[in-house]
C-alpha cells in the first residue's frame, strides 16, 4: 500500500504541473514567448507532453501569420517550398540541419548551403553518390562556381571522386563554354582541366571546346595540354600493366616508338613508368622532371632509385625537395653514396687512360664531388664540349681551370672558349678585355 505522504507528494506535483501548464500555455503567455523567444514558444507548442495535436495546430496556425523572422520556427519540412531562396537557406542554417531538410532544398539553395564555409558537411561516398544521381544538384554546383568565380572544396572533391555521368560531363563542358564569354580563363575551366588530367574527356566534347569561338586560345591550349597528360599517362600505365601480365605481343615496341617520336613526355606519364620503361625513356635522351623524381623515389623501390641516381643530372638530387625525400627510405642515402663512388671511379679510370668522354659522361664528371680535380685532369688531354663550358664556373677552382684552358689554347691546341664562357670570364676579370669576343 502506498504511504499517504507519497500520495500527497504526487498530488502536489500534479497540481503544480497543471498550474504551470495553465500559466505557460495560455494565449497571453504564448504571445509573450513568441514575441521575444519564438524558438522556445515553438518547442513548447510542439512538445507532445504539454500539448495535444489540437493545441499545437491552433498555435501553429496563428504563428504562421507572423513575419518569417518569427514564423520560421513553426515551419515544418513539408512547407519548405513556400519559402524563397534566402529563407530556405536561413531555415537550414538556423532552424534545422537535418538531412531531410538539406535534400529537400531547391538545387540552387542547396548549392549555396554546400559551398558556405560555415557549413561543415564532410565529403563521403554517400554524398557523392547522391550528387551523381541528381543532375540538378551538379548543375547548381557548377552554376555557383560560374557565378562567383571561386573554387569550392566540394566541387573539387566530387570531380576527384570518379568519372562523371554523361549528362553531368556534358553540362560541365557547356558551362565552361558559357564561362568563356566573360572570362579569358575562369574557375570552371580550371576545374575541367584538373578533371581531364585524371579522367579524360570524350572526343565530341573535346572537339566542341576546340571549335567554340567564345573560348580563348589559351583556355583551349590548357585543356588540350590536360588531355595530352591524360592520354600519355593512361598509355604508359597500360603498357606497364600489359608487360607485367605478359598480355602484349610486342613487349615494349610501342613504348620505344613513343619515346622516340615524342619530345616532351609529361610528368603524369613519367610517374607511371616501371624500370624497363625508364631505361628506354633514358635511351632516347629524356630526363625526369623534379616532381617525377620525387614521386618515384618516394613510391618506387631500391632498383628504380639506383637507375635514377645513375641516369639523372646531379645524380637526381636537383633541389631541396628531392633531398628531403632521401630520408623516406633507409636505403636511399647509402645507395646514392655508392653510385657516386662508382661513377667517380669509372670516370677517373677513363681519364687516366686518356679516353675521350661522351657528352653525358662529361656532364656526370661535373656533377661529381671531386669534379674540380677530374676536370683539371681531363682537359690536359681533351677539350671540353662547347655545350658544357659554362659549367666550369660551377667549380670552386673555376679561375684556375679557365686560366689553364686559355693557356692550353695558346699552346696551339684546339682549346677555345665559347663566346658565352669568354664573356663570363671577362665579366669576372679573369681574362683581359681584348680577349672578349666582339658582338659582331
Amino acid at each position: 500500500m502506498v504511504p499517504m505522504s507519497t500520495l500527497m507528494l504526487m498530488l502536489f506535483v500534479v497540481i503544480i504541473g497543471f498550474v504551470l501548464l495553465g500559466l505557460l500555455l495560455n494565449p497571453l503567455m504564448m504571445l509573450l514567448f513568441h514575441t521575444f523567444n519564438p524558438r522556445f514558444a515553438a518547442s513548447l507548442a510542439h512538445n507532445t507532453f504539454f500539448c495535444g495535436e489540437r493545441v499545437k495546430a491552433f498555435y501553429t496556425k496563428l504563428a504562421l501569420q507572423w513575419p518569417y523572422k518569427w514564423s520560421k520556427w513553426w515551419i515544418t519540412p513539408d512547407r519548405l517550398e513556400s519559402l524563397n531562396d534566402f529563407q530556405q537557406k536561413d531555415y537550414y542554417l538556423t532552424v534545422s540541419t537535418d538531412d531531410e531538410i538539406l535534400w529537400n532544398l531547391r538545387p540552387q539553395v542547396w548549392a549555396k548551403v554546400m559551398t558556405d564555409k560555415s557549413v561543415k558537411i564532410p565529403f563521403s561516398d554517400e554524398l557523392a553518390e547522391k550528387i551523381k544521381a541528381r543532375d540538378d544538384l551538379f548543375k547548381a554546383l557548377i552554376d555557383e562556381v560560374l557565378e562567383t568565380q571561386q573554387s569550392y572544396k566540394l566541387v573539387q572533391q566530387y570531380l576527384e571522386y570518379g568519372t562523371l555521368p554523361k549528362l553531368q560531363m556534358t553540362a560541365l563542358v557547356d558551362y565552361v563554354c558559357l564561362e568563356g564569354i566573360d572570362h579569358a580563363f575562369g574557375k570552371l575551366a580550371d576545374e575541367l582541366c584538373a578533371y581531364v588530367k585524371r579522367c579524360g574527356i570524350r572526343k565530341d566534347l573535346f572537339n566542341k571546346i576546340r571549335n567554340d569561338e567564345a573560348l580563348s586560345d589559351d583556355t583551349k591550349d590548357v585543356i588540350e595540354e590536360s588531355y595530352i597528360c591524360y592520354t600519355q599517362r593512361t598509355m604508359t600505365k597500360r603498357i606497364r600493366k600489359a608487360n607485367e601480365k605478359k598480355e602484349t605481343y610486342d613487349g615494349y615496341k610501342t613504348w620505344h616508338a613513343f619515346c622516340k617520336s615524342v619530345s616532351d613526355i609529361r610528368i603524369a606519364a613519367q610517374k607511371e613508368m616501371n624500370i624497363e620503361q625508364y631505361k628506354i625513356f633514358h635511351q632516347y635522351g629524356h630526363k625526369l622532371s623534379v616532381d617525377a623524381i620525387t614521386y618515384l623515389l618516394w613510391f618506387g623501390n631500391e632498383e628504380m632509385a639506383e637507375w635514377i641516381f645513375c641516369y639523372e643530372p646531379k645524380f637526381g638530387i636537383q633541389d631541396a625537395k628531392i633531398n628531403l625525400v632521401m630520408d623516406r627510405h633507409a636505403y636511399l642515402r647509402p645507395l646514392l653514396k655508392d653510385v657516386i663512388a662508382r661513377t667517380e671511379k669509372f670516370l677517373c679510370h677513363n681519364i687516366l687512360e686518356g679516353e675521350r668522354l661522351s657528352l653525358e659522361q662529361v656532364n656526370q664528371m661535373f656533377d661529381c664531388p671531386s669534379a674540380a680535380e677530374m676536370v683539371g685532369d681531363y682537359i690536359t688531354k681533351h677539350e671540353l664540349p662547347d655545350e658544357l663550358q659554362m659549367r666550369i664556373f660551377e667549380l670552386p677552382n673555376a679561375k684556375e681551370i679557365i686560366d689553364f684552358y686559355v693557356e692550353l689554347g695558346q699552346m696551339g691546341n684546339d682549346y677555345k672558349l665559347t663566346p658565352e664562357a669568354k664573356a663570363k670570364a671577362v665579366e669576372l676579370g679573369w681574362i683581359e678585355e681584348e680577349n672578349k669576343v666582339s658582338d659582331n
Side-chain angles (χ1 to χ4, degrees), residues 198-216:
R198 291 188 304 271
C199 304
I201 186 173
R202 300 199 317 265
K203 262 193 173 178
D204 60 316
L205 295 179
F206 181 70
N207 290 333
K208 180 177 182 177
I209 289 171
R210 294 300 303 172
N211 297 327
D212 193 287
E213 295 181 359
L215 286 173
S216 67

Side-chain angles (χ1 to χ4, degrees), residues 309-326:
F309 295 152
C310 289
Y311 283 161
E312 295 303 317
K314 299 182 180 179
F315 300 98
I317 314 304
Q318 297 174 15
D319 68 2
K321 182 179 178 181
I322 297 176
N323 189 52
L324 191 62
V325 172
M326 294 294 290

Side-chain angles (χ1 to χ4, degrees), residues 69-199:
K69 180 180 178 181
W70 287 271
S71 64
K72 66 181 179 181
W73 303 101
W74 300 81
I75 295 173
T76 51
D78 58 295
R79 294 176 178 269
L80 271 178
E81 193 58 37
S82 65
L83 302 179
N84 60 37
D85 289 356
F86 171 81
Q87 291 171 344
Q88 278 200 353
K89 181 180 179 183
D90 179 73
Y91 184 87
Y92 177 80
L93 295 178
T94 60
V95 179
S96 173
T97 55
D98 290 344
D99 281 352
E100 180 185 5
I101 303 298
L102 177 65
W103 296 104
N104 280 288
L105 297 173
R106 279 189 287 276
Q108 62 269 28
V109 180
W110 175 87
K112 289 187 180 298
V113 167
M114 296 300 291
T115 55
D116 191 315
K117 291 182 180 180
S118 66
V119 178
K120 307 295 183 183
I121 299 178
F123 187 82
S124 63
D125 291 347
E126 181 182 2
L127 174 60
E129 290 301 326
K130 284 184 177 180
I131 300 174
K132 185 170 283 193
R134 289 188 56 180
D135 296 335
D136 58 339
L137 296 184
F138 176 74
K139 288 181 180 179
L141 267 181
I142 58 177
D143 191 53
E144 186 70 14
V145 178
L146 176 65
E147 179 184 347
T148 63
Q149 282 299 295
Q150 294 184 30
S151 293
Y152 297 105
K153 190 173 182 180
L154 173 62
V155 177
Q156 295 167 352
Q157 289 173 321
Y158 179 64
L159 292 178
E160 291 172 1
Y161 179 72
T163 55
L164 292 174
K166 185 176 181 179
L167 289 178
Q168 292 186 7
M169 187 64 211
T170 302
L172 178 58
V173 171
D174 288 342
Y175 273 70
V176 168
C177 293
L178 181 63
E179 182 182 54
I181 297 174
D182 298 316
H183 303 279
F185 189 83
K187 292 296 182 181
L188 273 179
D190 194 32
E191 301 292 0
L192 176 62
C193 287
Y195 176 84
V196 171
K197 279 185 180 179
R198 291 188 304 271
C199 304

Side-chain angles (χ1 to χ4, degrees), residues 366-382:
F366 275 103
D367 291 337
C368 290
S370 59
E373 294 79 13
M374 284 197 291
V375 171
D377 291 338
Y378 182 73
I379 63 176
T380 61
K381 299 180 179 67
H382 304 286

Side-chain angles (χ1 to χ4, degrees), residues 359 383-390 405 416-418 420-421:
L359 185 67
E383 74 279 9
L384 292 171
D386 290 351
E387 305 96 305
L388 299 179
Q389 283 189 20
M390 290 300 290
Y405 205 86
K416 294 180 181 178
L417 290 176
T418 62
E420 294 79 13

